[in-house]
Amino acid sequence: MQLSKTYNPAEVEDKWYKYWMDNGYFHADANSNKPKYSIVIPPPNVTGVLHMGHMLNNTIQDILTRRARMQGKEACWVPGTDHASIATEAKVVKMLKEQGINKTDIGREKFLEHAWVWKEKYGGIILDQLKKLGASCDWERTRFTMEPKLSEAVIQVFVDLYEKGLIYRGERMVNWDPSAKTSVSDEEVIHKDVQSKLYYINYKIAGEDGHITIATTRPETLLGDSAVCVNPNDERYAYLKGKKVIVPVANRQVPVIFDEYVDIEFGTGCLKVTPAHDINDFELGKKHSLETIDIFNEDGTIAPIAGHYVGMDRFAVRKQIVKDLEEIGLIEKIEDIKNSVGYSERTDAVIEPRLSKQWFVDMKKIIDKNPKVLQAVMDDEIKFHPAKFKTTYKQWVENIREWCISRQLWWGQRIPAWYAPDGSFVVAATEQEAIQKFQISNFKFEMGELKQDEDVVDTWFSSWLWPISVFDGFENPNNPDIKAFYPTDDLVTGPDIIFFWVLRMVMAGYEYRGEKPFKNVYFTGIVRDKQRRKMSKQLGNSPDPLELINQFGADGVRMGILLSSSAGNDILFDESQVEQGRNFCNKIWNAYRLVKGWEIVEDSAVDTEIVKANQLASKWFASKLNEGLKEIEEKFADYRLSEALMAIYKLVWDDYCAWYLEMVKPEYGKPINRSAFDATIAHFSDLLKIVHPFMPFITEELFHDLNDGNPAKPIIVEDYPKVQQGVEAVPSLAIDFITEMRNLRNSKGLSPKEEIKTALVCENETTAAVYSSFEYIIRKLANTPAVEILAEKPEGALQLLVKNDALYVFLEESIDPETEREKISEEIKYLQGFLKSVDAKLSNQKFVANAKGDIVERERQKKADAEAKLRLLNDNLLALS
RNA sequence: GGGGGCAUAGCUCAGUUGGUUCAGAGCAUCUGCCUUACAAGCAGAGGGUCACAGGUUCGAAUCCUGUUGCCCCCACCA
C-alpha cells in the first residue's frame, strides 16, 4: 500500500469499525472461560445528542474495555439509553404541539404511541454517534430503561419494596414543575441566586384604622393567605393579639398568629402565611390549624378559588397585583433583594411548592438494613477514584431522606397501585393480582372497578437497577450473564450524580443481590471551555464532537480530550489539545512510513560495526519500552489515564521516533540489515498495541499493513505487551552526550553538517565501556568524525562539562575559552553553594541523630560527588587560563 | 448558615508516608534549521519567593494555625 504523507482518518475509521462489528469482536460471551471484565454504560438520555462530556466519559470506558480485552479478558461493555421521563415527554409534547395536537386531548394511550414513534426514530442517534468515536460496546446487549424486561424489573422492585414496607404513599409538600406538570425530587431542583424584589404591602387591621406592613417576594400568593404571623417576642406587634387583618384584593379577614419561626430582623418582622404555597408556611399552617388555599392550577395559572386573576399565569399576576395594589395605595415600598429561587433541572421552570399525594421510598430504612452501602465505600471495597469523593458519598448517606418517586407524567413505568372506588388501594404488578389481593382483603369487592394509579415512577427508579437489570438479574437472578458479569468492574461517571445514581445503585445492589454493583468508580470532571465556563447550548461554547471527529479524526479527538483530564478534575477543553492528538497520529503514521520505505539486506551485507550498533540500539529501546510499560501499568492501576497516555506519548515520540529510529536509520540510499529491520518492526508492533486502547483506528490500520493486511489476529484482540522480567537496563549515557554536542552546536551557531572533533575522558572502566559501545551511534547522531574515549584528559583540550562519570571534551580550537571559563565558573559557584548546604546539614548534630534511614549516608555521598566534580572543574579552569 | 475541595512556570496539571540533582511534565513562548519519515516537523533555550503570614521540625511545595482568593455540595432566606 502506498502511504500518503499525512494520516487520513476518514479513510480508515468506518472501515475498521465495520470490520470489528462484522467479526463480533465487541461481543462478550458469558460462557467463556476467560476472566470476566464488565462495564455498564451510564445510559445517556434518548433525547440526547453527543456532547463533550459523553466523549470524555465514553472514551475512558472504551480505553478500559479495550485494554481488558487485549489482556485476555472477556470484556463486556453494555450500552443503552435512558428513557428520561420528563425530558422525553417534554420533547414529544412540544413536537405534538407543533402539529396542533394537545397532549390531554388525545389521552394517555395515543400519547404513548406518539412517544414510542419518536423514540424509535431519534432514540438511537446518540448510540450511533458513540460508534463514530470507536466505542467497542457489545451492541447485541443494547438495553433501554423502558423496554419490557427492564420495565418489569421496575414494577417487580416497586411491589417488593412496598411489601417490605419500604415504599409508602403520603401527602407532602412537593416540588412542582408547572411546565412539565409533575412533581420532581428535591435533587432535581436547582437553586439559583437571582435578583428580585421585596414588596412591602400594607394589610389593614380589621375593624380599626391602622395597618401592618408585611414583606414578600411573591405578592401574587396573598390570594392564598390564611394568616399573618409575627414573633411573640416582638413588642412592636404585641397589640395585635387576637386581632384580624384584611388580605388586600381578596378582602378576606385572616387571623394574626404568633410564632417564633418569624425572624424579627427580616423585612418588617411580619410574615404573610400561605400554607398551600410555601413549605415553611405549610408547617406553620399545620401547627396553627390554618386553612390551606391552593390558588394555582397545575400549570401555574390562577385557579377559580382565588377569585381574582383567574386563568392568568403566576408571573403575569405578580406584575398585575403589584400595579393594582399601588393604585389602592397599599404598596409601602419595593426593595431590591437577592434571593434563591428553585428551578426545575429538566425544564428550567420556577418550582412551585405544592401539596399533593405522592409515593415515597424510605431510603433510610434501606440503608439501615444494608450497612455495607456505606462500609464498602469507606473500606475501599468499592474504590473511588479519586478517593476524595468518599466524603461526599458519606455525607449523602448520613443525610439521606425519603425519595419522592411518583411523577405526574405518562412516559415511564406506571405505578402498580390499584384503587377501588372507595379509594382504598393495593400494590400489585398486574390488574389480575390486584383483584386477587382485593378479594382477600375485602370480600365486598366487585370486579371491574379497579383503576390504576395515573402516575409513573421517577426515571432514576429504573436507573438504580441498571447494573442488575441489563443482565436480566431480576427476571432470573441466576442467569449466566449476571453470574458472569456482576459485579461489574468499573463505573465511569461524573461526581454530580454520586447521590442520584452511584449511591442508589449501591443500595439496590446490596438490597437485591447482597453484593456491590461495581468495584471501581472513576469520576470524570465536568468539561468546561478555556474560560472555565461549563459547556452549554445556551453559551454556544460546546464544540460539536462529530465535527471535531471529521476535522481531526476520532483518535485525535480521543487523545485530545483525555490529555488534560486527570481524574476528578474538571476538563478545560481546548481545541489545541485535539490538534496535538492529530499530530500524534501523524507522527506514528510517518514513523511507519519511514520504516516501510527501507530496503532490506542480510546482516552479512552490512558493516559489522553497523550491525552491532543497531543491536545495541534495539537493546536500548527494549529497556526503555520495558520501563515505559512498568510506568503505564502503574498509572492504569491508579486510574491515571491521562498520565498513562503521556507516558505512551513520550515513549513513541521521544524514545522511539527521536532516538531509536535515528540510531538505526540507514544513510540515505543505503539498505538496513535484516535483524535491525525485524527489531524495528517488532518494537513498532508493541507500541501499536500499547497505543491501541487510546487510538483504536490508526493502530488497527497500521497493524494490518504491517502484517501485509493479514495478521494472525487483529490488534483489537492481540495480546497487550507485558512487563518483562530480567530485561537488561541499557544506560542512556550516549543520549546525554549527543544532546550536549547539539547544544554546543546551537550555542556556537554551527550547522548540523559541520563536524566537531570530540573526546570523552572516563576514569571509570564500566562507564567507559558503555560509551565505547555507543561510539558509532554517537558519531552518527552528533556528527562527529571520531570519539576517543580516553583515560585522562589530553594536553590542550577544552572540557565542556563533567557529567555521567565522564568529561566531555572538545578538541576543536573553535571553542572560545572565555565563554567556557564563564560557564565553568558559574558551575563552580553553584557547587560551592551546594556543598555549603550539605556541610551545614552534616555538621548539624540533630540532623545526623534524627534523619532516618540512609539519608545521612546519601548526604555524605552527595558531598563526595560534589567535591570530586569541583576538583575537576577547578583543574579545567586552570587549563583554560 | 453547615460541610468539602482547591491555590505550584503564560496555560493545564504531576509532585505517593516531610529527606537523593525536588522545584517537574505537556502545551504555549523564544532561538536556529524546509537535515530525503513527518514544518501537523527537527535541534536547542528561557521561564516559578510552590497564594500570603505565622508555627512545628535538624529539614516544609508537602504537616498545623490564621488570612486572602476561587470552586463545589447541602440547607435556607418572607
Side-chain angles (χ1 to χ4, degrees), chain A residues 262-494:
Chain A
V262 176
D263 179 358
I264 298 176
E265 304 295 317
F266 189 89
T268 59
C270 216
L271 170 74
K272 70 193 252 326
V273 184
T274 322
H277 300 298
D278 182 277
I279 178 74
N280 296 299
D281 290 14
F282 176 70
E283 295 300 328
L284 273 177
K286 268 209 301 209
K287 198 164 153 191
H288 297 271
S289 312
L290 299 174
E291 200 186 345
T292 299
I293 310 163
D294 184 353
I295 61 160
F296 289 127
N297 293 315
E298 55 177 24
D299 62 354
T301 56
I302 301 291
I305 191 170
H308 297 77
Y309 313 110
V310 174
M312 283 174 71
D313 182 76
R314 49 193 172 143
F315 298 112
V317 174
R318 183 175 302 173
K319 277 189 190 147
Q320 189 58 45
I321 202 165
V322 169
K323 225 167 129 190
D324 294 349
L325 286 168
E326 268 175 333
E327 262 170 37
I328 51 176
L330 292 181
I331 296 276
E332 185 75 25
K333 58 175 173 176
I334 300 172
E335 279 177 358
D336 286 319
I337 187 182
K338 229 185 200 151
N339 72 334
S340 131
V341 175
Y343 290 83
S344 166
E345 188 189 34
R346 305 281 177 171
T347 65
D348 212 36
V350 173
I351 292 295
E352 195 66 56
R354 191 169 201 249
L355 191 64
S356 61
K357 267 196 172 168
Q358 305 287 345
W359 288 91
F360 297 90
V361 176
D362 193 331
M363 300 295 269
K364 182 135 190 2
K365 267 193 197 155
I366 297 181
I367 284 181
D368 289 345
K369 257 183 86 181
N370 297 285
K372 273 269 187 183
V373 169
L374 181 58
Q375 243 175 52
V377 170
M378 289 300 118
D379 301 347
D380 289 337
E381 193 181 328
I382 298 172
K383 214 164 178 199
F384 279 15
H385 307 274
K388 65 176 176 183
F389 289 114
K390 283 160 78 171
T391 331
T392 315
Y393 182 88
K394 191 174 171 207
Q395 279 170 2
W396 276 111
V397 170
E398 284 169 352
N399 298 306
I400 198 107
R401 291 174 300 164
E402 60 182 9
W403 174 13
C404 173
I405 51 167
S406 41
R407 297 288 181 276
Q408 291 63 52
L409 300 167
W410 288 343
W411 179 247
Q413 290 91 8
R414 194 166 174 180
I415 287 176
W418 303 83
Y419 299 85
D422 65 357
S424 64
F425 69 87
V426 294
V427 168
T430 65
E431 189 169 10
Q432 273 312 312
E433 285 170 32
I435 290 169
Q436 282 170 12
K437 283 192 181 174
F438 267 115
Q439 282 169 337
I440 294 164
S441 64
N442 176 0
F443 61 83
K444 281 190 291 185
F445 173 77
E446 287 170 41
M447 297 269 292
E449 294 168 351
L450 286 186
K451 262 180 70 186
Q452 188 175 1
D453 200 300
E454 290 292 331
D455 294 350
V456 298
V457 292
D458 181 6
T459 304
W460 293 104
F461 198 88
S462 51
S463 315
W464 76 326
L465 310 176
W466 184 248
I468 303 173
S469 61
V470 294
F471 297 120
D472 296 323
F474 289 98
E475 185 192 37
N476 172 11
N478 293 312
N479 83 63
D481 276 353
I482 189 125
K483 289 187 105 166
F485 298 119
Y486 189 97
T488 63
D489 289 86
D490 298 323
L491 174 75
V492 182
T493 189

Side-chain angles (χ1 to χ4, degrees), chain A residues 142-162:
Chain A
T142 307
R143 307 308 292 255
F144 175 53
T145 51
M146 228 172 99
E147 69 179 60
K149 277 191 183 177
L150 271 66
S151 289
E152 278 161 28
V154 165
I155 300 306
Q156 188 185 330
V157 167
F158 189 104
V159 175
D160 176 72
L161 289 178
Y162 177 80

Side-chain angles (χ1 to χ4, degrees), chain A residues 44-277:
Chain A
N45 289 353
V46 272
T47 53
V49 286
L50 204 67
H51 59 65
M52 294 312 289
H54 292 122
M55 294 292 277
L56 171 66
N57 181 274
N58 288 290
T59 296
I60 291 168
Q61 291 177 70
D62 195 44
I63 290 165
L64 294 171
T65 305
R66 284 183 184 270
R67 187 158 181 275
R69 191 181 289 121
M70 290 177 77
Q71 286 175 326
K73 294 182 186 153
E74 192 68 20
C76 179
W77 180 13
V78 182
T81 46
D82 188 296
H83 66 279
S85 284
I86 296 183
T88 308
E89 183 147 332
K91 211 147 208 168
V92 175
V93 165
K94 194 177 156 212
M95 177 194 81
L96 290 176
K97 211 172 200 171
E98 280 160 11
Q99 300 168 20
I101 303 170
N102 192 315
K103 173 184 156 184
T104 37
D105 291 348
I106 56 173
R108 185 173 200 130
E109 242 169 82
K110 262 264 169 303
F111 176 81
L112 287 176
E113 274 176 34
H114 282 292
W116 277 107
V117 169
W118 184 91
K119 187 262 166 187
E120 293 310 323
K121 198 164 166 193
Y122 301 107
I125 290 180
I126 193 152
L127 297 182
D128 287 336
Q129 290 178 315
L130 285 182
K131 293 176 183 171
K132 289 276 172 205
L133 183 66
S136 64
C137 305
D138 184 352
W139 297 107
E140 290 169 47
R141 295 178 183 273
T142 307
R143 307 308 292 255
F144 175 53
T145 51
M146 228 172 99
E147 69 179 60
K149 277 191 183 177
L150 271 66
S151 289
E152 278 161 28
V154 165
I155 300 306
Q156 188 185 330
V157 167
F158 189 104
V159 175
D160 176 72
L161 289 178
Y162 177 80
E163 284 169 356
K164 289 174 181 163
L166 298 171
I167 279 185
Y168 51 87
R169 196 170 182 232
E171 189 156 56
R172 298 280 194 288
M173 200 52 128
V174 296
N175 306 298
W176 187 262
D177 178 339
S179 165
K181 293 179 208 160
T182 177
S183 62
V184 294
S185 68
D186 290 348
E187 294 75 23
E188 287 166 309
V189 178
I190 311 294
H191 289 275
K192 294 185 213 168
D193 277 335
V194 295
Q195 203 47 253
S196 50
K197 298 208 182 301
L198 186 62
Y199 303 90
Y200 288 77
I201 304 169
N202 293 334
Y203 281 38
K204 285 185 175 145
I205 301 171
E208 291 180 22
D209 265 356
H211 67 261
I212 57 168
T213 307
I214 59 96
T216 181
T217 52
R218 302 198 55 196
E220 71 279 10
T221 62
L222 66 75
L223 296 168
D225 282 1
S226 34
V228 165
C229 187
V230 295
N231 192 304
N233 303 319
D234 193 339
E235 282 160 19
R236 292 175 295 174
Y237 299 115
Y239 74 98
L240 289 171
K241 198 147 216 166
K243 295 191 176 162
K244 292 196 167 187
V245 296
I246 299 165
V247 179
V249 182
N251 274 322
R252 266 185 297 111
Q253 290 198 1
V254 296
V256 177
I257 59 167
F258 294 82
D259 198 292
E260 291 187 345
Y261 165 75
V262 176
D263 179 358
I264 298 176
E265 304 295 317
F266 189 89
T268 59
C270 216
L271 170 74
K272 70 193 252 326
V273 184
T274 322
H277 300 298

Side-chain angles (χ1 to χ4, degrees), chain A residues 23-42:
Chain A
N23 290 284
Y25 292 121
F26 298 162
H27 181 63
D29 179 5
N31 299 315
S32 144
N33 50 19
K34 293 179 185 172
K36 306 297 184 295
Y37 177 87
S38 58
I39 296 186
V40 292
I41 201 169

Side-chain angles (χ1 to χ4, degrees), chain A residues 15-28:
Chain A
K15 173 179 76 180
W16 291 117
Y17 203 84
K18 185 172 183 306
Y19 171 86
W20 294 324
M21 288 279 277
D22 289 350
N23 290 284
Y25 292 121
F26 298 162
H27 181 63

